[in-house]
Amino acid sequence: MEATSPNYTVADYLLDRLAGLGVDRIFGVPGDFTLGLLDHVENHPVIRWCGTANELGAGYAADGYARVRGLGVVCTTFGVGELSAINAIAGAYAEHVPVLQLVGSPTTATQAAARPTHHSLGDGDFGHTLRMTAEVTVAQAMLGAADACSEIDRVLVAMLRANQPGYLSLPADIAELATEPPTSDLGDTTPVSDPRALQDFRDAAAEFLAVRLSANGARPVVLADIFVNRVHAEPALHSFLASAGLRFGSLLWGRRVIDESDPHFIGTYIGAASDPAVRDEFESAEVLITAGVYFTDLISGFFSERLDDSRRIDLLPHSAVVAGRTFAGVELIDTLAELEALLPDPGHPTPVAGAAWGAVEVTPTDEPLTQRDLWRIVAAALRPGDTVLADQGTSFYGIGPHRLPHDCVFVGQPLWASIGYTLPALLGAGLAAPLRRPVLLIGDGAAQLTIAELGTLIAEQVPAVVVIVNNAGYTVERAIHGPTSPYNDIAPWDWTAFLPAMGGTDATTQAFRATTGAEVAAAFASAENRPDVLTLIEVVTGPLDVPPLLVAVAQAAAAANAPHV
Amino acid sequence: MEATSPNYTVADYLLDRLAGLGVDRIFGVPGDFTLGLLDHVENHPVIRWCGTANELGAGYAADGYARVRGLGVVCTTFGVGELSAINAIAGAYAEHVPVLQLVGSPTTATQAAARPTHHSLGDGDFGHTLRMTAEVTVAQAMLGAADACSEIDRVLVAMLRANQPGYLSLPADIAELATEPPTSDLGDTTPVSDPRALQDFRDAAAEFLAVRLSANGARPVVLADIFVNRVHAEPALHSFLASAGLRFGSLLWGRRVIDESDPHFIGTYIGAASDPAVRDEFESAEVLITAGVYFTDLISGFFSERLDDSRRIDLLPHSAVVAGRTFAGVELIDTLAELEALLPDPGHPTPVAGAAWGAVEVTPTDEPLTQRDLWRIVAAALRPGDTVLADQGTSFYGIGPHRLPHDCVFVGQPLWASIGYTLPALLGAGLAAPLRRPVLLIGDGAAQLTIAELGTLIAEQVPAVVVIVNNAGYTVERAIHGPTSPYNDIAPWDWTAFLPAMGGTDATTQAFRATTGAEVAAAFASAENRPDVLTLIEVVTGPLDVPPLLVAVAQAAAAANAPHV
């Protein structure tokens, strides 16, 4: 934190708090109510400004950053800017990502005067947007002179405890109020288990495991998912899995929490849409331990999961369930540790029959590309440590069945499912983890929604690999309804031409258009040869060509939307 | 309206209602909850679908369409889609434009099941977005089986009465419910004056005019603005002005309601930022009649208007004020007619000293462009009947002092002031009035926010003239604060390269990059020679070059944002 200065203000306090929580970038678009605040950003020793093309892009970027760093910040102007970004805030709320919506608002004098001010509704009420945002944030404040710093702390603590977004509206004059730097850190925002409940859980789990496992010497199977990440329990999970030597898998949402290159990896569970052998192992396990699992329609084959309560231990973020009996107030980190103690390594677990990443030989051909081949080739071209973002369409389901290399950070958004999200999120994730290669898998329909931030990726020199699947429209929608309807078509764009249009040069970017598997593989090889540049790969597939996994999911979606369910 | 069909559904009813109100286009992005509805759009005899690149673009396009046609519709999917468009709805609410936010939502069965469904927050509550939108719409409904059609009517009537947005969420199953076509029209949605109040107004106005005008034989001066348009009183205003032969002007917001090429046009009133002679005529008038005027900060030089209450008659949308005495329940159309009856044509009014559009000789040179010269050249290149949209930055203030040709439809957004608005709004306005030439004036910073819809303009073959002022960033912000701060810079784009990238060909588009006045004039001449193609003119000016009018407004904005006002 900065030394006390006679000019130290509320804006500095807020920035120091954010820097103390690991934030080194703020994403946004300036507006006249934020310009003073941005002077403080510009003068801050740690935090840098990342100006994006538009506010929704900034919000998605902050979300992508938060999914890697643990906290993200989008800064916009009052009214117009914040509402353009609010879809990103709602997505972060739904998917439990702590993103701070920081709004520069009119001065307290302007608000008190209640006159028709630009960026307001003209009715003298400056509270509309705070109330709107309250539906999708865990804490909110319009900062005032009396308690600006304590309100900043309150909102940040609430965000970190819930792993959800918060909202701070900072009037231009309050930003400049003199104050003192923080004198202590925010305190531990991690919830703590109730010792009694944890003891009860341990006893129940021990008895349950003893009874079920002694019957036939079986070992538990583990199904982990995204909430392991959200409550920062990945180290506890990995320790548990390694110590107990258990076979495991995840859902499509939480691929990042387990290692798909591990020989104990069973596969991805998607309910009825799972690979049959994978489905059978999870559904018929003598004991299934779920960790951080939350079934939503798009990752469960529309709630087709069939997991017997009586054979299950569910470790939830702040509670656990043992064969139907709930234990409230126990934290996932602690329940994992308890199970680790209960299940020592038995020696040599059965390796998985399925092939790990890299074990499948992929031979790209010069035949016209199909979705089936495309994703095998893409998966083979991924590298350990990559950050991989897949948009919620053919890309998410296309890469779904293919194992990822070791240490990949996989990001999707299957609950909120806002198409176009991943392109700006790649910007945030790439800047948050500069030592990882950012790889984007996105369809053309989705990319049209947020294409403007390709320019920001170029300007920020993020050396990403951007794969755009050009199938002339919303193929994920075509698979659900209206396969040849014009409303599922999009304006035809020449994707590789966007790099020079958006400031890319041959020294900083390269583009490929691939219509065969061999061309896709060659483009990825070129990307590896030039790791410092942004590589855009336009991949051409047929408008009605759908990844196999998406066929099943789309049929379930169509049934759910039918008039008579 | 369609003949009754055994397959006639709620979706058809809604579309027939919209068509009956003059809607022939719906703007939006498809989603799986809207696909069934879009089948009905596709089969409708009148209404056509316009798929945009993203939902904010669709919302702005619907707003631009509504400002020309009187009603616009944006159709998106639940959650993600509607929230991406909500800034556009808020803008329409602030600026009194009736835009219907039509949302395709999950079936009633899915909502009742309250399970974690995609595009929801995962908490089983499907009401979040309706509550959010209620802050920025005049009426809302989640349609159900019991009263879908009457709820549709209720929301549409409320919108048309208030000239503000409404919200209809249409579950996928409700869209398919069988129903009957409308048997009568929606009824007259125009509010009616209270006869007694109107009589009182007439008497007061007659006495006031008799007393004030008899003193020195002066004639009233009229200041009209945007709410004349919003309550459809333009014919009444024009009749009044022509009959009474009065000198008149407008504010920057409502330029479209008067004819700046008329010899009675005084000029535009901007409070202290007005041309001194114009200011003096309005502020010292013996009697000033305002019609549909609502002073907001950006059109009043931050509330610097100085108009004496005791010499004024204010005709408001639904009330009037005579020398400080208010008459509630009188409609603007009626009060204009009353004044017309009270003020017969005196014969020959004094012509205005200032030069009308076309009277100023503009001689473009080969010198580097300045903002001062640019807008003179642009104004001279406009043509009678053009639809002109100016984004709320240098463009709005740049074209501000320059008179427009006869019958121009001028659109700005100075209250909500969401930069980037005008590019998609041009799409809507262009499709709403295909016989007018659409002309867009926008800065590069603003254009980056919504550039994706340039592709939709190309795909829809809108023969617009798009002027993009390339000054490497947010010059309107630079004028307020941080003139050389990096946060006011943007990613450098090659604007003319976007046409081929977005599907434009030499047969359908042309692009020019102009660095001198002569080049700007030549580009406009080329646009006139090829009226069927889209013409993009990139105009290069200096980062710190600000139109003269904006200097004054920006200084006032900086003062308003200062810590101690």
Side-chain angles (χ1 to χ4, degrees), chain B residues 18 29 33 38 43 109 124 144 152 166 187 191 199 226 269 341 414 454 460 462 486 493 506 511 522 554 565:
Chain B
L18 295 172
V29 175
F33 300 136
L38 295 187
N43 294 327
I152 288 169
Q199 175 67 53
I226 194 65
Y269 183 65
L454 182 62
E460 293 283 345
V462 176
W493 287 5
D506 289 345
V565 181

Side-chain angles (χ1 to χ4, degrees), chain A residues 29-33 35-36 38-39 42 49 52-56 60 79-80 83-84 86-87 90 93-94 107 109-110 115-122 128 131-132 135-136 172-173 176 294-298 302-303 414-418 448-449 451-452 455 459 474 477 480-481 485-488 491-494 497-498 500-503 557 560-563 565, chain B residues 29-33 35-36 38-39 42 49 52-56 60 79-80 83-84 86-87 90 93-94 107 109-110 115-122 128 131-132 135-136 172-173 176 294-298 302-303 414-418 448-449 451-452 455 459 474 477 480-481 485-488 491-494 497-498 500-503 557 560-563 565:
Chain A
V29 175
D32 71 315
F33 301 136
L35 298 175
L38 295 187
D39 286 343
E42 200 170 295
W49 176 246
T52 57
N54 60 50
E55 291 93 349
L56 183 59
Y60 285 157
V80 292
L83 291 189
S84 283
I86 202 168
N87 177 19
Y93 187 82
T107 62
T110 295
R115 290 191 294 198
T117 300
H118 64 289
H119 304 338
S120 82
L121 296 180
H128 290 285
R131 294 192 295 272
M132 294 165 81
E135 294 278 348
V136 292
D173 56 330
E176 303 303 333
Y294 185 64
F295 287 104
T296 74
D297 56 359
L298 294 187
F302 282 72
F303 307 110
L415 173 54
W416 191 239
S418 190
Q448 284 202 350
L449 276 95
I451 190 63
Y474 308 106
E477 310 287 6
I480 297 173
H481 189 96
S485 293
Y487 52 70
N488 283 326
W493 288 4
D494 178 1
F498 278 86
M502 289 178 155
N561 293 336
V565 182
Chain B
V29 175
D32 71 315
F33 300 136
L35 299 175
L38 295 187
D39 286 344
E42 200 170 297
W49 176 247
T52 57
N54 60 49
E55 290 94 349
L56 183 57
Y60 285 157
V80 292
L83 291 189
S84 284
I86 202 168
N87 177 19
Y93 187 81
T107 63
T110 295
R115 291 191 293 199
T117 300
H118 65 288
H119 305 339
S120 82
L121 297 180
H128 290 284
R131 293 191 297 271
M132 294 165 81
E135 295 278 348
V136 292
D173 56 331
E176 303 302 332
Y294 186 63
F295 286 105
T296 75
D297 57 359
L298 294 187
F302 282 72
F303 307 110
L415 172 54
W416 190 239
S418 189
Q448 283 201 350
L449 276 95
I451 190 64
Y474 308 106
E477 310 288 6
I480 297 172
H481 189 95
S485 293
Y487 52 70
N488 282 327
W493 287 5
D494 177 2
F498 278 85
M502 289 179 156
N561 292 337
V565 181

Side-chain angles (χ1 to χ4, degrees), chain B residues 333-555:
Chain B
I333 287 180
D334 297 325
T335 52
L336 281 165
E338 294 296 344
L339 292 189
E340 181 173 341
L342 291 173
L343 285 166
D345 187 351
H348 303 283
T350 318
V352 173
W357 173 83
V360 180
E361 196 72 32
V362 176
T363 311
T365 73
D366 294 327
E367 298 295 308
L369 256 186
T370 62
Q371 290 268 353
R372 186 178 289 273
D373 288 343
L374 168 62
W375 301 109
R376 294 174 58 198
I377 297 163
V378 169
L382 298 177
R383 294 291 170 258
D386 283 353
T387 302
V388 181
L389 284 82
D391 215 78
Q392 193 62 32
T394 52
S395 300
F396 184 82
Y397 292 107
I399 200 69
H402 299 284
R403 298 189 176 196
L404 302 174
H406 177 66
D407 191 32
C408 270
V409 176
F410 179 85
V411 174
Q413 199 202 38
L415 172 54
W416 190 239
S418 189
I419 64 168
Y421 154 77
T422 51
L423 197 158
L426 184 81
L427 169 69
L431 293 175
L435 299 181
R436 295 178 181 272
R437 179 175 74 159
V439 178
L440 174 63
L441 312 175
I442 190 170
D444 54 355
Q448 283 201 350
L449 276 95
T450 51
I451 190 64
E453 304 311 340
L454 182 62
T456 317
L457 283 166
I458 295 168
E460 293 283 345
Q461 299 183 301
V462 176
V465 179
V466 175
V467 177
I468 299 180
V469 182
N470 178 350
N471 47 22
Y474 308 106
T475 291
V476 61
E477 310 288 6
R478 291 181 180 126
I480 297 172
H481 189 95
T484 59
S485 293
Y487 52 70
N488 282 327
D489 300 337
I490 61 172
W493 287 5
D494 177 2
W495 293 97
T496 60
F498 278 85
L499 294 184
M502 289 179 156
T505 67
D506 289 345
T508 59
T509 60
Q510 58 180 348
F512 302 91
R513 188 171 191 273
T515 60
T516 69
E519 288 170 351
V520 176
F524 267 101
S526 296
E528 287 209 69
N529 287 336
R530 297 187 66 194
D532 297 332
V533 309
L534 185 148
T535 299
L536 186 150
I537 309 174
E538 175 187 355
V539 165
V540 181
T541 61
L544 297 179
D545 184 11
V546 177
L549 175 56
L550 181 54
V551 174
V553 174
Q555 285 169 349

Side-chain angles (χ1 to χ4, degrees), chain A residues 41-318:
Chain A
V41 174
E42 200 170 295
N43 293 328
H44 197 273
V46 172
I47 296 179
R48 291 175 58 196
W49 176 246
C50 178
T52 57
N54 60 50
E55 291 93 349
L56 183 59
Y60 285 157
D63 177 299
Y65 184 95
R67 287 181 196 231
V68 172
R69 279 287 179 102
L71 179 63
V73 183
V74 48
C75 176
T76 71
T77 200
F78 182 79
V80 292
E82 54 179 310
L83 291 189
S84 283
I86 202 168
N87 177 19
I89 302 302
Y93 187 82
E95 301 223 339
H96 286 254
V97 180
V99 174
L100 176 64
Q101 165 103 295
L102 174 58
V103 173
S105 45
T107 62
T108 48
T110 295
Q111 294 192 38
R115 290 191 294 198
T117 300
H118 64 289
H119 304 338
S120 82
L121 296 180
D123 59 2
D125 179 350
F126 291 83
H128 290 285
T129 50
L130 185 146
R131 294 192 295 272
M132 294 165 81
T133 312
E135 294 278 348
V136 292
T137 51
V138 72
Q140 314 81 33
M142 173 71 80
L143 296 175
D147 55 2
C149 294
S150 64
E151 283 288 276
I152 289 169
D153 288 359
R154 177 181 67 81
V155 168
L156 290 174
V157 167
M159 288 172 59
L160 295 172
R161 283 186 173 271
N163 287 291
Q164 283 182 303
Y167 177 90
L168 288 175
S169 196
L170 179 55
D173 56 330
I174 301 299
E176 303 303 333
L177 275 186
T179 191
E180 296 295 317
T183 52
S184 61
D185 68 21
L186 271 180
D188 192 351
T189 57
T190 312
V192 174
S193 292
D194 173 342
R196 180 88 173 243
L198 192 62
Q199 175 66 53
D200 291 347
F201 164 77
R202 181 190 309 127
D203 295 346
E207 185 186 345
F208 173 78
L209 292 170
V211 169
R212 289 214 64 85
L213 297 181
S214 65
N216 54 12
R219 299 285 293 167
V221 166
V222 177
L223 183 60
D225 209 58
I226 194 65
F227 281 87
V228 173
N229 168 268
R230 297 300 189 257
V231 296
H232 315 294
E234 277 153 318
L237 173 69
H238 299 163
S239 171
F240 168 55
L241 291 175
S243 160
L246 300 180
R247 290 159 59 84
F248 60 84
S250 77
L251 284 78
L252 286 170
W253 199 358
R255 300 179 72 175
R256 66 186 289 185
V257 308
I258 47 87
D259 183 354
E260 297 185 359
S261 74
D262 188 292
H264 298 80
F265 176 66
I266 298 163
T268 306
Y269 182 67
I270 322 168
S274 310
D275 174 272
V278 170
R279 179 182 182 185
D280 184 64
E281 182 159 354
F282 287 114
E283 295 188 356
S284 66
E286 205 62 47
V287 168
L288 178 67
I289 299 170
T290 77
V293 170
Y294 185 64
F295 287 104
T296 74
D297 56 359
L298 294 187
I299 59 169
S300 67
F302 282 72
F303 307 110
S304 64
E305 73 275 10
R306 296 292 176 265
L307 304 174
D308 184 352
D309 283 354
S310 70
R311 293 187 286 175
R312 226 166 67 228
I313 298 178
D314 293 322
L315 309 183
L316 300 168
H318 313 295

Side-chain angles (χ1 to χ4, degrees), chain A residues 246-409:
Chain A
L246 300 180
R247 290 159 59 84
F248 60 84
S250 77
L251 284 78
L252 286 170
W253 199 358
R255 300 179 72 175
R256 66 186 289 185
V257 308
I258 47 87
D259 183 354
E260 297 185 359
S261 74
D262 188 292
H264 298 80
F265 176 66
I266 298 163
T268 306
Y269 182 67
I270 322 168
S274 310
D275 174 272
V278 170
R279 179 182 182 185
D280 184 64
E281 182 159 354
F282 287 114
E283 295 188 356
S284 66
E286 205 62 47
V287 168
L288 178 67
I289 299 170
T290 77
V293 170
Y294 185 64
F295 287 104
T296 74
D297 56 359
L298 294 187
I299 59 169
S300 67
F302 282 72
F303 307 110
S304 64
E305 73 275 10
R306 296 292 176 265
L307 304 174
D308 184 352
D309 283 354
S310 70
R311 293 187 286 175
R312 226 166 67 228
I313 298 178
D314 293 322
L315 309 183
L316 300 168
H318 313 295
S319 65
V321 183
V322 179
R325 185 178 159 206
T326 296
F327 301 84
V330 293
E331 296 298 311
L332 183 53
I333 286 180
D334 297 326
T335 53
L336 281 165
E338 295 295 342
L339 291 190
E340 181 172 342
L342 290 173
L343 285 167
D345 187 351
H348 303 284
T350 318
V352 174
W357 174 82
V360 182
E361 196 72 31
V362 177
T363 311
T365 73
D366 294 326
E367 298 295 307
L369 256 186
T370 62
Q371 290 268 353
R372 185 178 290 272
D373 289 344
L374 167 63
W375 301 109
R376 296 173 57 199
I377 297 163
V378 168
L382 297 177
R383 294 290 171 257
D386 283 353
T387 301
V388 181
L389 285 83
D391 214 79
Q392 193 62 31
T394 53
S395 300
F396 184 82
Y397 293 107
I399 200 69
H402 299 283
R403 298 188 177 196
L404 300 173
H406 177 67
D407 189 32
C408 271
V409 176

Side-chain angles (χ1 to χ4, degrees), chain B residues 124-188:
Chain B
D125 179 349
F126 291 83
H128 290 284
T129 50
L130 186 146
R131 293 191 297 271
M132 294 165 81
T133 311
E135 295 278 348
V136 292
T137 51
V138 72
Q140 314 82 30
M142 173 71 80
L143 296 175
D147 55 1
C149 294
S150 63
E151 283 288 276
I152 288 169
D153 288 358
R154 176 181 67 81
V155 168
L156 290 174
V157 167
M159 288 172 59
L160 295 172
R161 282 185 174 272
N163 287 291
Q164 282 182 304
Y167 177 90
L168 288 174
S169 197
L170 179 55
D173 56 331
I174 301 298
E176 303 302 332
L177 275 187
T179 192
E180 297 294 318
T183 53
S184 61
D185 68 21
L186 272 179
D188 192 351

